[in-house]
Amino acid sequence: MTTTERPGTDAERLRDRIAAELERTRARTALLTDAVDDDDLVRQHSTLMSPLVWDLAHVGNQEELWLVRDVGGREPVRRDIDDLYDAFKQPRKDRPALPLLPPAEARAYVRTVRDKVYDLLDGIRFTDRRLVEDGFAFGMIVQHEQQHDETMLATHQLRAGAPVLDAPPPPEPRVDVGGEVLVPAGPFTMGTSTDPWALDNERPAHTVDLPAYRIDATPVTNGQYRAFIADGGYDQPRWWSGAGWQHRVEAGLSAPLHWRRDGDGWAYRRFGRWSAVRDDEPVVHVCWYEAQAYAAWAGKRLPTEAEWEKAARWDPATGRSRRYPWGDEDPGTGHANLGQRHLWPAPVGAYPEGASPLGVHQLVGDVWEWTASTFRGHPGFTAFPYREYSEVFFGDDHRVLRGGSFGTDRSACRGTFRNWDYPIRRQIFSGFRCARDAGDGE
């Protein structure tokens, strides 16, 4: 893509790509909302989550606000519902009590909005202003809907009742991988100033110089985490920070979310089905405090966000930072477990084609990985196109997660993509890997 519009070439290809991404994304939204009946759509399955029907209308409302009204300059479809679907005005716990659009009306609303978007897309010029340059506003809306699709997938994981989602299991391991990888000292380029659909918190590109460190070649597995549990990791304050131990006690944490004892082992509930915990899969549904405690028990620590990104993007042969661990091309099915193709993390060693040049595996997909870093803007950060996407979350309250999960779509996942959440959250598809300082001479 280029910022210079040439009729019949770049602009038309961009329009086709946008239309295809909008259609593909809406198909996923329909799958997640059509899988349950109306009672399930309007029910709140957890106070941490919205009713599914709120998410459905919310993605349509954001699409209307940004594409129909702002980009297209069209008349509002439903100005009267703007406040209902404003995520900052309406806390999740209160949303079930709002006069939300019922399921049929919500579906009709998002269809109407989408029809208007397709209509205006035909005449848009991608050079008129920054918001539409390279199709950014459309890419922002695609990513926003996909992020809510992952949120809805997490709601499905929390709902009670018979299973309604199905997918084939992820691939089996193709290589034997484990241990640590040395990342040598030196600078690398963090963030991006060129990726056309990168969001404001990924920008701008800047140089970060890091000392040498070692990072796990794979995410921490269930088997490794079970050893922490078996060694009394949840019962010994010495492994936990003060805030972490307080939360562990108050919340009664004793294992990852959705685990239960099963004879001498453990079982894990996945979207309504119980199965034995498999030792070679990345552990998922752990909070930042649990990840931090495990790392301390293992004699390591969580990687900083910069350490994670260098391990994921830096190519020692060229000195440049790639878009993904495997290169600059978009993720294929052989690179990573993304896009809800499967409903749980793949065992380690399942995606050798997705490894970084240094030999770090499964950095993208499977589980979001907690880092040690709090959420801040990169040096030179500028909020765009609105402060509420990133800037209002900056500070010490949120910890950064990187890499995406099995429920993350390829459009909302890059080597520079940043996620964040409170350190107590574990309803998200969160795991981690460990790091440590390199020893003398390494």
Side-chain angles (χ1 to χ4, degrees), residues 10 12 15 63 95 107 110 139 200 229 328 394 407:
D10 292 354
E12 290 307 313
R15 286 190 182 94
E63 188 171 335
R95 291 171 189 171
R107 290 186 173 106
V110 299
D200 62 2
I229 298 173
D328 295 329
F394 291 167

Side-chain angles (χ1 to χ4, degrees), residues 321-365:
S321 290
R322 299 172 165 197
R323 191 163 184 249
Y324 295 99
W326 55 85
D328 295 329
E329 69 269 26
D330 288 339
T333 56
H335 289 128
N337 181 9
L338 289 166
Q340 201 180 313
R341 291 195 308 271
H342 314 292
L343 290 176
W344 58 85
V348 297
Y351 290 97
E353 294 173 30
S356 76
L358 292 173
V360 188
H361 287 244
Q362 286 163 265
L363 286 151
V364 168

Side-chain angles (χ1 to χ4, degrees), residues 26 30 33-38 41 56 101-112:
R26 186 54 50 84
T33 53
D34 292 349
V36 294
D37 60 23
D38 285 1
L41 276 177
L56 174 62
L101 299 182
E105 195 172 342
R107 290 186 173 106
Y109 169 64
V110 299
R111 280 196 302 269
T112 299

Side-chain angles (χ1 to χ4, degrees), residues 37-103:
D37 60 23
D38 285 1
D39 287 342
D40 256 357
L41 276 177
V42 302
R43 181 178 298 123
Q44 186 173 46
H45 299 281
S46 166
T47 55
L48 296 174
M49 315 301 282
S50 308
L52 292 169
V53 76
W54 187 92
D55 285 290
L56 174 62
H58 170 76
V59 298
N61 185 245
Q62 288 292 295
E63 188 171 335
E64 181 190 350
L65 290 172
W66 285 103
L67 300 186
V68 176
R69 299 188 204 173
D70 193 322
V71 172
R74 308 291 178 88
E75 287 296 310
V77 179
R78 291 289 301 266
R79 190 186 295 277
D80 59 304
I81 65 172
D82 288 353
D83 282 352
L84 291 178
Y85 297 101
D86 187 320
F88 288 90
K89 292 181 179 179
Q90 311 295 350
R92 286 182 178 181
K93 63 181 179 61
D94 298 335
R95 291 171 189 171
L98 298 172
L100 302 177
L101 299 182

